[in-house]
Amino acid sequence: MRSRLTGWALGTLTVGFLLYQWMPIATLSLLSFSGPTGGTTFPMNGVSLHWYRELWDASIMNDFKPPLWRSFVLALACSAVTTVLAVTAAQAMRGKFRGHNAFFYLLLLGIMAPGLLVGFGVALMARMLGVEPSWNGTAFLVHVSWTLPFGFMAMLAIFNRFDARIEEAALTLGATRWVAFQRITFPIVLPGIIGAALFGFSLSYDEFARSMFTTGADQTLPLAVLAQMDRQLTPELYAIGTATTVTSFFAILACIGSLALIRRSMRRG
Amino acid sequence: MSTIRIRSPAAYWLAVPAALWMLCAVVVPALLILWVSFWGGRQFSAASPLVLDNYTRFFGNQTYMNLIVQTLIHTATLMAICGVLGYCIAYFLVVKVRNAKLRTALFLAFIIPFWTSALIRAIAWVPFLGTNGVINNALMGLGLIDRPVEVFLYSRTGISMAQVSLYTLMASGPVVYMLAQIPPALREAAMTLKAPPGVVFWRIIFPLTLPGVVIGQVLVFLNVMADFATVATIGGNKIALLANLILNFYEGAQIRAAAVVSVILMACMLIGVVAAMRVVDIRKLGA
């Protein structure tokens, strides 16, 4: 009886929190469709796509298309580098080389270190080396230091669940280590790698703390949003927020899909 | 036997690119910040003499001292709220929900917002908090207040409200992980031996989840200490915490002062993480 009561109490709390968590996102999306005379809060003054159109034919001052393009390219590059380095790093961990514990903590540091400080340090480094901060230079360096550890952890988890006996069988049958990796290991963990790549993409795409001091004059999308936030809050920002969130949802769906795929292929194997 | 030989040179070389990248992008920059924080003079030059002036100036200013205390209090508050809330939610999801589909659905509803932009989520709180915002309108509609209250936007209350929604998952996730590892037979054994539910929880379940609680607290601590964006978005220019100070100093071209604050922030975080490691061994989590 008492346990039932705690169940109800905790359930109410959980559902309450979920509402609390989702309500701002829902409101943001709703307000992004407000009429041309709508403001940044209710009433909406009609329903329209006005703010999305405004976003599309923006003036040079607050044109979000170039930042969007930069963020997209940067995230793509980060995702590619992350995937390659995460797979090699996780494969290296399986080899338990000397100092692999220190190596693990080095990567963990990338997750723990506050983004603003990492960006600040890299900005100092660039200045000492006489390099101008840029979105495709210094910002790229910093972003990968953020996405790589997550990709690495994901690959470690995937290799942990991986049935090494399949590899053993291939090696016993005379495959070289490289061939066994290419033909056996890689295809089996591939959905996991795709998941890690998508995760890396979205981490870089949404990152702003690390970009703060390392991006230079040509801003990425989150920085442009922050700058606009500083000038004035408009429903256009809500439109961007909604569009970004919807994009994230698709990335998450793809991520979950690839994880479901790997679980199934591992069960079969 | 696997596709990589134990302790082979290949394993070592495969690790080198990632290690070099992390060293260049995280370790060296952190050391540079430490170095610059001791620079004397006014030029940006590696030949600057090393002095303690930057620190004495910072610690000599009462305003900055207050800011450190406020930041720590704010962070501790968030840790407490997110910790309790996160534990309750984790306990409900893992122990109380019996239906696997419902559990997955609730868990996804819990975790999905975490994968979207934290900046957008912070901005999403703004229409809620203003004097003309959703909360004020709702309270007035219910007749609880007759004038808009201004405690939400540009205040620490509003910042905390948004941060609770952003960081509760971090406190909860590791607890979910630990709770899911506890075999149900353990609880049944305790019940059979006539332990009342409270005793089962405090003497068996809670100690077993303690590592998860500590990891969650560390995550909330690190993120709240470093969060400048939520503070700037919701606090406007009226509220600043330690991380915002770094931003202000940097934009004011006071590199040395920014470095000093950064070092203090790093020191706080390091102390926090080391203290947490004394309570639990993080490495045991993965095992």
Side-chain angles (χ1 to χ4, degrees), chain B residues 112-192:
Chain B
I112 283 177
F114 185 67
W115 283 336
T116 64
S117 164
L119 178 61
I120 300 295
R121 290 179 68 198
I123 291 175
W125 272 97
V126 175
F128 263 80
L129 301 171
T131 46
N132 195 20
V134 177
I135 295 178
N136 263 316
N137 283 338
L139 288 178
M140 284 201 287
L142 288 172
L144 291 174
I145 51 173
D146 41 63
R147 249 175 321 132
V149 276
E150 292 183 17
V151 292
F152 300 122
L153 197 58
Y154 308 127
S155 76
R156 198 157 298 150
T157 317
I159 296 169
S160 303
M161 286 170 73
Q163 284 182 330
V164 165
S165 80
L166 291 176
Y167 300 129
T168 297
L169 179 76
M170 293 186 177
S172 198
V175 178
V176 169
Y177 181 79
M178 295 311 284
L179 272 175
Q181 312 241 321
I182 300 175
L186 213 56
R187 177 198 312 274
E188 282 155 24
M191 302 281 243
T192 315

Side-chain angles (χ1 to χ4, degrees), chain A residues 12-22, chain B residues 85 89 110 164-166 168-169:
Chain A
T12 315
L13 190 74
T14 304
V15 173
F17 179 79
L18 290 180
L19 284 176
Y20 179 77
Q21 184 178 243
W22 278 92
Chain B
L85 204 55
I89 295 171
F110 189 27
V164 165
S165 80
L166 291 176
T168 297
L169 179 76

Side-chain angles (χ1 to χ4, degrees), chain A residues 61-137:
Chain A
M61 228 344 243
N62 51 2
D63 191 358
F64 287 100
K65 286 187 292 287
L68 173 70
W69 173 244
R70 281 179 217 120
S71 274
F72 183 78
V73 174
L74 179 60
L76 217 55
C78 284
S79 165
V81 172
T82 294
T83 314
V84 175
L85 290 189
V87 173
T88 54
Q91 178 77 354
M93 277 300 278
R94 293 174 80 204
K96 294 202 170 46
F97 60 94
R98 265 190 71 167
H100 70 280
N101 273 326
F103 179 67
F104 178 81
Y105 282 116
L106 179 64
L107 278 139
L108 196 64
L109 194 64
I111 295 180
M112 304 276 249
L116 192 67
L117 298 193
V118 178
F120 178 36
V122 169
L124 286 178
M125 186 166 79
R127 199 158 160 193
M128 278 174 196
L129 298 172
V131 179
E132 204 51 42
S134 63
W135 67 273
N136 51 9

Side-chain angles (χ1 to χ4, degrees), chain B:
Chain B
M1 208 158 64
S2 78
T3 46
I4 186 117
R5 217 173 331 132
I6 301 295
R7 288 179 180 272
S8 62
Y12 175 75
W13 285 111
L14 279 173
V16 167
L20 275 182
W21 198 298
M22 296 310 288
L23 281 173
C24 286
V26 181
V27 179
V28 172
L31 295 175
L32 280 182
I33 294 177
L34 186 64
W35 184 34
V36 169
S37 74
F38 289 106
W39 279 7
R42 301 211 152 268
Q43 254 87 47
F44 189 92
S45 138
S48 304
L50 298 181
V51 294
L52 281 172
D53 293 9
N54 304 322
Y55 285 92
T56 48
R57 207 171 304 135
F58 185 84
F59 284 113
N61 191 326
Q62 194 57 44
T63 321
Y64 297 150
M65 288 300 96
N66 286 340
L67 202 62
I68 295 179
V69 174
Q70 278 168 14
T71 305
L72 289 174
I73 292 175
H74 176 78
T75 309
T77 315
L78 257 291
M79 283 163 74
I81 298 174
C82 293
V84 174
L85 204 55
Y87 200 101
C88 290
I89 295 171
Y91 193 83
F92 178 73
L93 290 180
V94 179
V95 180
K96 294 289 176 185
V97 182
R98 295 280 159 77
N99 184 328
K101 274 202 180 127
L102 180 66
R103 186 191 296 143
T104 311
L106 285 174
F107 198 72
L108 282 178
F110 189 27
I111 206 170
I112 283 177
F114 185 67
W115 283 336
T116 64
S117 164
L119 178 61
I120 300 295
R121 290 179 68 198
I123 291 175
W125 272 97
V126 175
F128 263 80
L129 301 171
T131 46
N132 195 20
V134 177
I135 295 178
N136 263 316
N137 283 338
L139 288 178
M140 284 201 287
L142 288 172
L144 291 174
I145 51 173
D146 41 63
R147 249 175 321 132
V149 276
E150 292 183 17
V151 292
F152 300 122
L153 197 58
Y154 308 127
S155 76
R156 198 157 298 150
T157 317
I159 296 169
S160 303
M161 286 170 73
Q163 284 182 330
V164 165
S165 80
L166 291 176
Y167 300 129
T168 297
L169 179 76
M170 293 186 177
S172 198
V175 178
V176 169
Y177 181 79
M178 295 311 284
L179 272 175
Q181 312 241 321
I182 300 175
L186 213 56
R187 177 198 312 274
E188 282 155 24
M191 302 281 243
T192 315
L193 295 171
K194 298 262 188 305
V199 172
V200 176
F201 179 76
W202 286 112
R203 304 245 334 242
I204 297 172
I205 308 291
F206 187 74
L208 283 173
T209 54
L210 192 61
V213 174
V214 174
I215 306 278
Q217 291 288 302
V218 168
L219 289 178
V220 175
F221 172 73
L222 290 179
N223 278 284
V224 175
M225 286 291 280
D227 185 354
F228 64 94
T230 312
V231 178
T233 307
I234 293 170
N237 294 324
K238 293 193 184 162
I239 311 269
L241 294 178
L242 219 45
N244 300 78
L245 201 56
I246 300 175
L247 204 64
N248 292 349
F249 277 138
Y250 188 89
E251 279 165 357
Q254 291 175 276
I255 301 288
R256 290 166 178 74
V260 167
V261 184
S262 302
V263 171
I264 292 168
L265 200 58
M266 280 196 273
C268 289
M269 290 176 165
L270 211 60
I271 293 169
V273 172
V274 170
M277 297 267 261
R278 304 219 97 181
V279 182
V280 293
D281 188 355
I282 290 183
R283 276 165 299 179
K284 276 191 192 146
L285 253 187

